[in-house]
């Protein structure tokens, strides 16, 4: 049976426009456009997804993702499940609400990169990849043979390339994931089997007509 994972990056958010670190306190949710995008995503997904069983909806715990997931869950008649594993960077409390540029310059770590954090107290990229990948694989295993919508961040979408596409932790390419875009992976194998299932990338960063940010 086919397992279908549909990744959604949250709609346009206040923290994006203001250029601040949007952690649990600093995130002020979606802009008016972001809310419009979330409702458009709900309409798009319900028109595209024809599943034999119920569609599960997950989101990160951050407000911008939760607000994007709410109309999607309502459209499918389910309550979104918040999962911190799908979050963007787990930035340290001191950085929450700081200007992003200030965080990246005044708190930069010399030699920061894949296995060392870029900023003081932040996750390393490798830690983020493992956390997000584990959440993705747990959800895929839990809902094998079903369709799941995962609402998160650009890093959530990037994590799928590691969890499902077997990319190395340090990729040789970058990804541009615009707000309110859809990325879809499917497999006809058992997501919890061994050797690991082979996944197919069906679409990437599909904005459905919204202008790219």
């Amino acid at each position: 049976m086919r397992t279908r994972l549909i990744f959604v990056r949250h709609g346009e958010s206040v923290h994006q426009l203001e250029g601040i670190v949007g952690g649990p306190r600093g995130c002020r949710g979606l802009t008016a456009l972001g809310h419009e995008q979330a409702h458009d995503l709900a309409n798009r997904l319900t028109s595209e997804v024809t599943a034999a069983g119920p569609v599960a909806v997950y989101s990160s715990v951050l407000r911008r993702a939760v607000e994007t997931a709410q109309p999607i869950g309502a459209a499918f008649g389910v309550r979104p499940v918040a999962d911190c594993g799908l979050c963007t960077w787990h930035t340290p409390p001191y950085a929450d609400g700081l200007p992003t540029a200030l965080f990246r310059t005044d708190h930069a770590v010399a030699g920061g990169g894949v296995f060392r954090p870029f900023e003081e107290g932040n996750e390393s990229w490798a830690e983020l990849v493992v956390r997000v990948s584990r959440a993705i694989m747990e959800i895929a295993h839990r809902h094998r043979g079903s369709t799941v919508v995962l609402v998160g961040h650009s890093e959530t979408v990037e994590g799928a390339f590691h969890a499902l596409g077997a990319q190395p932790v340090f990729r040789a390419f970058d990804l541009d994931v615009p707000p309110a875009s859809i990325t879809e992976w499917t497999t006809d194998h058992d997501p919890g089997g061994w050797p690991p299932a082979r996944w197919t990338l069906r679409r990437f960063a599909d904005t459905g007509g919204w202008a790219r940010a």
Side-chain angles (χ1 to χ4, degrees):
M1 295 179 64
R2 174 161 294 184
T3 302
R4 186 180 185 188
L5 301 184
I6 301 173
F7 293 83
V8 172
R9 186 186 173 192
H10 62 79
E12 182 186 77
S13 64
V14 176
H15 96 287
Q16 283 178 280
L17 296 187
E18 294 185 344
I20 64 172
V21 177
R25 297 190 313 274
C27 180
R28 291 167 48 204
L30 300 177
T31 64
L33 174 61
H35 282 288
E36 186 180 351
Q37 290 171 329
H39 285 279
D40 181 70
L41 282 164
N43 292 332
R44 285 183 61 200
L45 289 170
T46 52
S47 68
E48 294 173 0
V49 175
T50 55
V55 174
V57 179
Y58 285 78
S59 79
S60 91
V61 301
L62 295 175
R63 180 176 168 183
R64 55 191 179 274
V66 171
E67 290 182 356
T68 304
Q70 286 171 341
I72 296 173
F76 284 109
V78 298
R79 177 175 295 180
V81 177
D83 188 331
C84 194
L86 300 176
C87 284
T88 181
W89 302 92
H90 280 172
T91 51
Y94 79 83
D96 200 355
L98 281 181
T100 303
L102 182 69
F103 178 49
R104 292 176 177 172
T105 55
D106 289 14
H107 299 277
V109 172
V114 177
F115 297 105
R116 298 193 71 215
F118 288 104
E119 300 88 15
E120 297 168 1
N122 203 3
E123 285 184 301
S124 70
W125 174 248
E127 289 170 324
L128 184 149
V129 167
V130 170
R131 169 175 57 79
V132 173
S133 296
R134 179 170 182 172
I136 291 170
M137 296 312 298
E138 289 288 348
I139 291 169
H141 179 69
R142 191 177 306 138
H143 298 281
R144 56 191 178 277
S146 302
T147 297
V148 186
V149 179
L150 302 91
V151 183
H153 312 265
S154 57
E155 293 80 12
T156 317
V157 177
E158 291 189 67
F161 279 77
H162 302 281
L164 310 179
Q167 288 293 307
V169 175
F170 181 66
R171 293 192 316 270
F173 57 90
D174 295 321
L175 297 172
D176 179 13
V177 186
S181 63
I182 295 173
T183 298
E184 181 178 350
W185 294 79
T186 65
T187 186
D188 294 328
H189 303 141
D190 181 0
W194 187 263
R198 288 189 64 85
W199 291 79
T200 299
L201 179 62
R202 298 289 177 181
R203 52 178 162 165
F204 168 69
D206 175 9
T207 59
W210 288 103
R212 294 177 69 84

